[in-house]
Amino acid sequence: MPGKVNPTQAEALTMIAAQVMANDVAVGFGGAGGYLEMNVYKPLIIFNITHSITIMTDGCTNFRKFLVEGTKPNLKKINEYVERSLMLVTALSPVIGYDKASKIAHYAMDNDLTLKAAALKLGFVSEAEFDRVVDPKKWSNPTWRALQPRLRVLIRHRLWEAEASPRRLKPAPA
């Protein structure tokens, strides 16, 4: 078929994973098959472990070279998927309630709308409130400033615990 892109590298990596799992089964049987501290399966164990290491190394190298390097995200499509994600309606539940948030999600799905368009059309929230509450960038990229107050409280608590109950070292017995 013209224009078809074959996912050969991803398929190759899944085949490698299957082979490594099979090698692991063989190593398990080999490890269990030893008698009286003499394991005649050592060559099988060594071969399968080194084979797994080799094919995983080669597979990951080729995956990186021929699939990952040079790949660029389609930001326009990603933003479209994020805007149309029905799970984002969860953020509205504390503000407008579960039932209204559910109605927004169903309306958006039934009418092929974004959540924002559905919420505004139903009139449950204003545009400014929607933008304030539903901001996926805040959820996926926590900043250091957002974490600092929590860390300060944790550090103060730990320091207070350390001062309140210092660890005393017992002298070693003579």
Side-chain angles (χ1 to χ4, degrees), residues 53-123:
I53 291 169
T54 302
I55 63 175
M56 282 192 297
T57 303
D58 292 346
C60 289
T61 301
N62 287 335
F63 189 81
R64 177 189 51 80
K65 258 195 235 177
F66 300 118
L67 184 78
V68 175
E69 287 179 1
T71 302
K72 294 179 182 147
N74 184 343
L75 297 177
K76 183 180 175 185
K77 200 69 172 165
I78 291 170
N79 286 330
E80 180 185 332
Y81 288 142
V82 169
E83 285 177 10
R84 293 192 166 272
S85 173
L86 295 178
M87 103 177 159
L88 297 178
V89 81
T90 307
L92 289 173
S93 289
V95 177
I96 62 173
Y98 180 85
D99 292 333
K100 287 181 180 178
S102 176
K103 286 179 185 173
I104 291 172
H106 284 282
Y107 190 80
M109 185 172 64
D110 294 341
N111 297 298
D112 194 31
L113 297 171
T114 64
L115 285 175
K116 185 174 184 177
L120 295 177
K121 190 155 188 167
L122 292 173

Side-chain angles (χ1 to χ4, degrees), residues 19-42:
Q19 182 62 56
V20 169
M21 286 185 269
N23 288 350
D24 181 60
V25 170
V27 168
F29 276 109
Y35 303 103
L36 302 173
E37 295 186 21
M38 293 185 347
N39 196 331
V40 294
Y41 291 96
K42 281 186 182 176

